[in-house]
Every structure is written in structure tokens, then in C-alpha cells.
Amino acid sequence: MTKRLTWEQKSIVSHNNGHALVKAVPGSGKTTTLVKRVERLVKTGTDPRSILILMYNKSAQLSFTDKLNVTLKSGVIPEVRTFHSLAFKIIRYGEHQQLIKKKTLLKPSDYRYEQLVKEAYRYGFNHEANYIVPKEIEDFELFIAQCRASGVTAVDADTDPTFRDIKPEFISAYSHYCVLLETNRLRTFDDSLIDAVSVLRNDSSFANELKHIIVDEYQDVNFIQHEMIRLLSKSGSSVMAVGDINQCIYEWRGARPDFIAGLFEKHYLNSKVFQLSCTFRFGHELSLMANSIIRRNSAKLTRLCVSHPSTPKTEVIMHFDNCLSKVLLNLSIDNGTQAILSRTKANLAEAEIALRLCGLPYTYLDGKTSLHTRTEIGMLVVGVMLCVYGDLQKLENHPDKKTLVYGFLKESGFRWKQGQLKEAINALMVPNVDLFFVLGELFEGSQSQRDRLERLSIIRRKDGEETSTIDIFKRLRTEGFIDSLGSEGVTRISSNDQQRGIVRIEELLESNRINSYTFLNLILYPRGVSVDCQPFILSTLHGSKGLEWDNVVLIGLKDEEFPAGKPDNVNSILTSVNNPSINDDIEEERRLFYVGITRTKQRLNLVIPFDDELTRWLKNGWDSPPKKPPVATRFVYEAGWTSSAITSDAIYNNTVEKQKAEFSKFHQWYLRDLQRLKV
């Protein structure tokens, strides 16, 4: 970003005492602005120990601390913490004052945490197998996190009529989870926030010396975090909250956008509202598109996201193609960082296979591949092996054998009695065992199960290594081993994700028509990749929050998938409990799209399915929502790509005055804001 502060940034830096709310667009230089503000406070006599800065995650905390050290160049700098690290400090104080019980911190990486969660899950869902698919555990952990973020106890979940539509298995599992924690005197990261709030409620003397509290990413705070801030702020102290309601994408796990959308000003009287509306990340074309999309939400736009004059032009490219591997091979990415972002993990599974097929380097944002953990992958891999080889020999000594076999058994339509799935998995882990013999012994007394096994026997060794994988896929479908996928999912979301995953893989196989030998090796033993370019980072849109890349590829842009529609009833009920005034799922999905497209700096690639209606929209330069259910996501319709490109070119070519009559009122607003920011 430019070394000179804009007048918007200067007004925040020079703000004196009193509460303040800073509304900042993506890439607006808020970190630099906050560092300069802290520098000014310290230089004008404020004790650094009376300033607390709360950052949303560890990486942001470390980055901000480093910048403060460089800027202040003194021995004492203000305290910079995450919510959790502050909670641990409060807990130590509370334990010393005997306000709360001493407990052991149970980290997610601790094997005991996984055991505890699985034990609670089995208790609630009466799950008999010793192996539980990771997606089902993730769903349960999400439910726990939502309850903790909202301060919902096991008693609340069991007795509050608001929760009557939630599956009783979730309630039972959550209740047992709470019992296990209490019995073993354990505390998780989420519990630390609840315990910290309990300490602050019972001892108002903690942190009396605080005069300034700065909170970043305020649109993502949940009820417990908001309570912590409220209890820390005393009479005479100033709270500055920084965030952007248009980037609130975590309502599904407890975030409360209403805090930044009005409640902050009610809870902190006489607050002054500031704007950081100038982005240094991307150019005018993308800014115009982002504004066009987000203005459809109910939150009133008082300022637009406007690109700084120094920001280079950002290129937006639309690829109308259902073959992702072909798009990836044709991308003209010469240098810089690059990412593939998607609404769902199902699309990332397709992207991972496509990248392997193309020989392009990639890594997941967290460094871990999740391809083999997807049950539809296990079902398809084992199904292809049985059709070609008739056995599991290619899985012998493979590190992911158990996970892949579980996926096949779970999704191939067999009906498991108590203990049978566990018995089958254990038996199939024995080297050189015959799957048909194991299942035949297991289903000895069930004619319906043996009939299904017989259908699998019919297609055993029917194909060869040169047979197209899509033909084997269709054979598996004909025999009923595809349509059953997702029917045993614990939640509707997991079932939909698996079904979408298999649809994405089917489209990829149809487009590339690779043989079975190539397919199995792509999954089990991927070959080395090209090192001519930086690896693609694979991430969901939620995981990309707060990050940026030179080049971004956005995939999964079918309207039936994005927006994803109503979430699972667990999520929707908790959303209603947390925030009864806002229950519009489309608005959060629109914010998610807004976050996704604003992660890029140089080039945004949108991979869009063929849609004749969208072609007509682009030809006419429209930016209105589609009038009937579209093929491509409605958010691309709302972006107004054609008109945004025309206005952007006029700005860069200095022909705005000549073309002024051509611009819509909305684009004229953008031009006025651009002129205002230059003052």
C-alpha cells in the first residue's frame, strides 16, 4: 500500500477518547492504520500497558505485534492478544482467586480430545463402528462450537423449546460431551472463553487499568466474545471495533453480524463511526463488481469499496466450461501466488483430481489433503478395483486402506446391523483377504444383503485396466452402487456434500475419459508434478478469509450449489436463536461470494457452467438478479461484469467525462466516491 495515509485513515489515527466503530472494506490498510493509531496514543502520553489489542487469530496477532515493535522501537509495547490467549490470562487469575475450578486444557491435537468427541458421538448416535467418517465428526464438532459460541449449556439445549427441531441425537451427544468434560476436569479452547466471562462477571476489578481496547474483525465476534469485551470495558475506557459486515461469513458457527450492524452503537453510547472505503488490493473493475453484488443485501451501503488510484488494474476472466482440467491447463498464470477457492469441499475434491491429472503442483491451505477421507472416493476407488481386478490387492500396504474401505462399505448400499460394520472393517484389514468371502460370511442369514452382494459379484472383473473409468462408473450406477451414496449421512449437509462430490467427479471423468488404471493411480499414487509455477493453494471460501493471492480461481459456481440453500436444521435453528432479526441465508452466501472474489490482486478467474441466459445478461450489460432459476450462480448475474469493465476502462483511460452519460447511477456514485477519496 502507499506510504501516505488517506484522509480516512488519518481521521482514525487522530481520534481521541471515546468509543469508535471502523467499517473497513477488503484490503483497506486497516492494520497500518491501527498501528499508526497506537503509535500516536503512545507518543502523546498514553501508557502502553493501558492499551489492549484483540486480533482474531494467532497469525494476525504475531503480524500486528511485529509491526508495533518496528514502529514503536521501545521496550514496552501494548498487549496484543487473541481472544483465547486473553481468556487463558483471565482464567489463571480466576483460578488463583478461586473463582473457578482448576482444569486441564484439552487441545484439539490431544488424542484425548478425539477420543472424548467420538465417545460422545457414539453415545448420542448409538454408533457401533470403531471408525467414524471424519465428516460426521466435523458436523458434531460444529454443533458443539455453535452451542459454546452462544453460551448454550446442555440443559439449555435439552429444555429450551427453540431446540425442539434439532435431532435428539445431537442433543444427547452434546449433553454427554459436557458430562465427560466436567467429570474429567477438562477445558477446551471454546470453554476457556465461557470460563473467562464467568470470572469477569464475578470480579469487576480485573484489568481496571485498561484505557483503550481495539478489536479487529468485529463482524466475526460471537456472543461470548462480545460479552468479554463488554465486561473488560470500564467507565472512562474507549473501545474501537474494526470490521466489515459485508465480510461476515461465520454466522453458521456463532458469529453475530448484528453487533457491528447497530448493537455496538447501542451498547457503547456516543460512538463515532469511521469508514475505510479505499482498497489497495485490487483495481476498479473488481471493486465495481463487488459493490454491485453486495448492494443486494439488506445492510445499507453508506460507502462503496473504491480502488485507490495507485492500485494496478485487476483482470477478471470468465471461463465458460464444465471441464475444470481443461481450464486449469489453459490458465495464463506466469508468476505470483495462486489459489483455487470453492464454496464446498466437494468441488475441491474435483479440483485436486484435476490438478493431479494436469500434473500441476498444489497444497491445501492447512497442508493436508482430504481426498481419501471422502466416502464417495472410497466407494468409487474400491468399486473400480472390484470391476477390474476383483479384489483389494492394490490397497495392500496402502496407508489409506482403512479409510477407503470404510467409504466403500458405508456408501455402497449395504444395511448394517449392530456391530457388523465394525466387524467387516476389522476383517478386511487382514492382508490378502477376500472381500466377497468376508461379506458373504457376515450376511449369511440375510437374503436382501446377499442379493446386493450378488449384484456386486456380477460386475466383478467385468472390465480391464484400459476401460474408461466413466464406463465403469456407469456400470456401478446401473447396479445401484452410486444412487445409494449419501443415504446413510448423519446430516442432510453431509449427504448433499457427498452427492455433489460424486456429480463433480462424474463430470470430470466424462470430460477426460481416463482409463481405470490411470484413475486408480491418480488417487492412490499421484505422480510427480511440474515445478515451473507456484503451487495452487486449495481452500474453501470460509478458509480464505483474511488472505490474498495474486491469482484466484473460483470454482463451483452452479446456482444449485452456490448459494447452497437452507443449511441443515441444526445450523438454521442456532442461527435463529443467536439472531432472530436476521435469518436470510442468501445474504450470508452473497457475503461469502463477496469475500471470495476480493481475495485476488492481479487476476480473478471465474469458472462458470454453460448458461445461455447469463450470456444474454452479459451481452446487454445487465446487473440485475435473474428472473428465473439460473444455471450459473445468481451472484455472477448480479456482478454486472460488462458494465463494470466499461466503467473501469474509462477510469484508467481518463475518458470518464466523455462517457459520463453512459454510466448507471450506481456507477456514477462510485465515480463520486473515487473523486471524494482523492481530496
Side-chain angles (χ1 to χ4, degrees):
M1 83 170 259
T2 179
K3 293 183 179 180
R4 294 181 58 188
L5 297 179
T6 67
W7 65 264
E8 286 184 325
Q9 293 170 325
K10 289 177 181 178
S11 65
I12 295 166
V13 171
S14 61
H15 174 64
N16 292 313
N17 295 327
H19 304 306
L21 180 63
V22 179
K23 299 180 179 181
V25 302
S28 58
K30 63 177 181 176
T31 299
T32 298
T33 304
L34 294 179
V35 168
K36 289 292 185 182
R37 170 162 175 75
V38 172
E39 179 187 28
R40 175 186 167 276
L41 288 173
V42 172
K43 286 186 175 180
T44 54
T46 301
D47 186 343
R49 290 166 295 188
S50 70
I51 303 173
L52 171 66
I53 300 105
L54 284 173
M55 309 301 289
Y56 200 74
N57 55 46
K58 185 69 175 179
S59 60
Q61 175 203 8
L62 294 175
S63 175
F64 198 89
T65 301
D66 289 343
K67 288 181 171 66
L68 276 183
N69 277 316
V70 171
T71 301
L72 296 181
K73 300 176 183 178
S74 63
V76 180
I77 67 167
E79 197 170 18
V80 184
R81 289 188 176 271
T82 64
F83 277 98
H84 286 105
S85 68
L86 176 61
F88 295 143
K89 178 181 178 180
I90 296 171
I91 284 171
R92 288 192 295 270
Y93 171 83
E95 289 176 341
H96 184 265
Q97 298 293 325
Q98 297 184 339
L99 297 171
I100 56 174
K101 297 177 183 178
K102 287 190 175 183
K103 294 181 180 179
T104 302
L105 177 64
L106 188 61
K107 298 180 180 180
S109 58
D110 191 321
Y111 75 95
R112 293 175 299 170
Y113 173 77
E114 182 180 0
Q115 289 179 340
L116 187 145
V117 171
K118 287 184 176 179
E119 183 178 344
Y121 177 89
R122 291 192 185 97
Y123 180 90
F125 285 89
N126 196 26
H127 192 284
E128 80 279 2
N130 63 345
Y131 179 81
I132 306 172
V133 68
K135 184 66 174 67
E136 295 176 5
I137 289 295
E138 289 173 9
D139 289 339
F140 178 47
E141 288 181 305
L142 174 59
F143 179 70
I144 294 171
Q146 290 172 324
C147 289
R148 290 306 207 222
S150 307
V152 174
T153 67
V155 174
D156 293 335
D158 191 43
T159 60
D160 192 325
T162 314
F163 288 80
R164 64 181 177 271
D165 293 330
I166 292 180
K167 286 184 177 181
E169 292 89 348
F170 274 100
I171 305 297
S172 178
Y174 178 57
S175 178
H176 194 63
Y177 170 84
C178 295
V179 169
L180 290 173
L181 285 176
E182 195 62 33
T183 302
N184 294 285
R185 299 179 70 86
L186 297 171
R187 172 188 292 125
T188 66
F189 280 103
D190 287 340
D191 298 332
S192 67
L193 298 174
I194 296 172
D195 288 345
V197 167
S198 176
V199 171
L200 294 174
R201 284 172 177 164
N202 289 285
D203 189 336
S204 60
S205 64
F206 183 85
N208 275 337
E209 74 282 1
L210 285 181
K211 300 299 180 186
H212 292 274
I213 302 174
I214 298 174
V215 188
D216 193 21
E217 301 289 1
Y218 195 73
Q219 78 280 350
D220 292 328
V221 301
N222 57 43
F223 171 76
I224 293 297
Q225 292 166 327
H226 175 78
E227 278 293 285
M228 186 186 297
I229 301 165
R230 187 182 64 81
L231 292 166
L232 284 169
S233 60
K234 308 293 193 302
S235 176
S237 63
S238 299
V239 177
M240 176 176 279
V242 186
D244 179 10
I245 190 173
N246 295 326
Q247 297 186 69
C248 179
I249 58 174
Y250 294 122
E251 279 188 90
W252 52 277
R253 73 180 190 194
R256 293 279 301 270
D258 53 334
F259 289 140
I260 197 171
L263 289 183
F264 179 88
E265 294 156 90
K266 290 182 179 179
H267 292 175
Y268 299 94
L269 299 177
N270 301 316
S271 298
K272 187 167 183 179
V273 179
F274 295 95
Q275 303 280 346
L276 284 178
S277 55
C278 189
T279 183
F280 299 86
R281 180 180 295 162
F282 43 81
H284 296 296
E285 183 176 349
L286 187 49
S287 282
L288 286 160
M289 292 174 66
N291 288 317
S292 180
I293 293 163
I294 206 64
R295 66 173 168 149
R296 312 292 171 184
N297 276 2
S298 57
K300 185 179 179 182
L301 280 178
T302 55
R303 288 285 186 273
L304 299 179
C305 173
V306 177
S307 297
H308 190 271
S310 67
T311 307
K313 187 175 182 179
T314 301
E315 188 177 7
V316 181
I317 305 172
M318 291 192 183
H319 305 268
F320 291 90
D321 205 315
N322 290 325
C323 182
L324 180 57
S325 58
K326 188 168 73 175
V327 172
L328 292 175
L329 283 174
N330 292 330
L331 285 181
S332 56
I333 296 178
D334 302 320
N335 52 53
T337 56
Q338 49 196 6
I340 297 177
L341 308 180
S342 168
R343 171 67 181 80
T344 67
K345 292 181 180 179
N347 287 108
L348 292 183
E350 178 200 10
E352 186 171 359
I353 297 174
L355 287 163
R356 291 184 181 190
L357 192 62
C358 298
L360 293 171
Y362 70 91
T363 181
Y364 274 82
L365 192 58
D366 60 4
K368 300 176 183 177
T369 175
S370 61
L371 190 63
H372 67 282
T373 69
R374 298 188 63 86
T375 54
E376 72 271 20
I377 292 292
M379 188 274 299
L380 187 55
V381 165
V382 174
V384 170
M385 281 194 294
L386 294 176
C387 288
V388 175
Y389 305 108
D391 55 37
L392 304 177
Q393 285 300 308
K394 284 188 75 70
L395 281 183
E396 290 302 324
N397 302 316
H398 195 280
D400 300 322
K401 177 182 178 180
K402 188 173 186 178
T403 306
L404 292 166
V405 169
Y406 175 88
F408 172 77
L409 295 178
K410 188 75 167 20
E411 301 294 355
S412 54
F414 293 108
R415 302 300 176 187
W416 303 98
K417 294 181 180 179
Q418 184 79 21
Q420 279 188 334
L421 182 57
K422 177 180 178 180
E423 186 178 346
I425 292 173
N426 290 338
L428 290 171
M429 292 306 104
V430 176
N432 302 314
V433 69
D434 183 82
L435 178 140
F436 291 90
F437 175 79
V438 169
L439 297 186
E441 289 282 302
L442 199 62
F443 299 145
E444 182 67 36
S446 173
Q447 188 59 46
S448 62
Q449 296 288 69
R450 293 186 67 83
D451 288 345
R452 190 159 189 80
L453 185 59
E454 179 63 27
R455 295 178 73 178
L456 191 61
S457 300
I458 293 173
I459 58 178
R460 188 180 189 185
R461 296 194 185 96
K462 279 284 187 180
D463 301 289
E465 291 183 339
E466 295 304 316
T467 305
S468 173
T469 311
I470 188 62
D471 292 335
I472 300 179
F473 181 98
K474 291 175 181 177
R475 189 188 300 280
L476 289 168
R477 167 166 282 159
T478 299
E479 295 300 329
F481 293 99
I482 297 294
D483 295 338
S484 61
L485 195 141
S487 61
E488 296 299 315
V490 173
T491 67
R492 185 164 60 85
I493 280 185
S494 63
S495 296
N496 287 345
D497 187 57
Q498 291 154 6
Q499 290 162 5
R500 287 168 179 166
I502 204 69
V503 169
R504 299 281 74 74
I505 293 168
E506 180 181 9
E507 290 179 350
L508 185 144
L509 295 175
E510 188 73 66
S511 300
N512 292 280
R513 303 198 69 82
I514 58 176
N515 62 38
S516 62
Y517 178 83
T518 302
F519 171 75
L520 290 175
N521 280 298
L522 279 177
I523 305 299
L524 301 177
Y525 306 104
R527 67 180 187 270
V529 298
S530 167
V531 293
D532 294 336
C533 61
Q534 291 201 40
F536 284 90
I537 304 298
L538 296 181
S539 174
T540 62
L541 290 172
H542 287 99
S544 72
K545 177 72 164 51
L547 303 176
E548 63 180 24
W549 294 273
D550 295 314
N551 307 284
V552 167
V553 182
L554 198 54
I555 63 175
L557 299 182
K558 287 188 175 182
D559 196 71
E560 63 183 18
E561 298 178 15
F562 193 8
K566 293 286 184 181
D568 183 82
N569 61 350
V570 171
N571 296 334
S572 60
I573 290 295
L574 283 175
T575 300
S576 179
V577 171
N578 292 339
N579 193 0
S581 64
I582 299 177
N583 196 20
D584 188 347
D585 305 307
I586 296 298
E587 292 206 0
E588 183 167 5
E589 292 286 289
R590 187 175 283 114
R591 292 196 295 268
L592 188 59
F593 189 80
Y594 176 87
V595 166
I597 65 174
T598 57
R599 298 307 94 197
T600 193
K601 295 191 289 184
Q602 296 178 5
R603 185 180 292 116
L604 173 67
N605 294 279
L606 301 173
V607 182
I608 302 169
F610 295 113
D611 186 345
D612 291 338
E613 190 72 358
L614 177 59
T615 302
R616 187 165 71 94
W617 240 250
L618 297 176
K619 182 179 179 180
N620 288 287
W622 296 337
D623 62 4
S624 58
K627 296 175 176 59
K628 59 182 180 179
V631 177
T633 176
R634 67 197 69 184
F635 304 139
V636 177
Y637 281 79
E638 297 170 355
W641 180 41
T642 307
S643 57
S644 295
I646 293 172
T647 303
S648 171
D649 288 342
I651 295 171
Y652 287 113
N653 296 329
N654 294 315
T655 60
V656 169
E657 289 302 319
K658 292 181 181 179
Q659 298 178 244
K660 207 167 188 179
E662 303 175 22
F663 303 136
S664 67
K665 290 183 179 179
F666 189 71
H667 282 206
Q668 289 181 17
W669 178 11
Y670 181 91
L671 295 170
R672 287 195 300 272
D673 269 10
L674 176 61
Q675 188 60 42
R676 177 181 60 83
L677 288 169
K678 290 180 180 178
V679 176

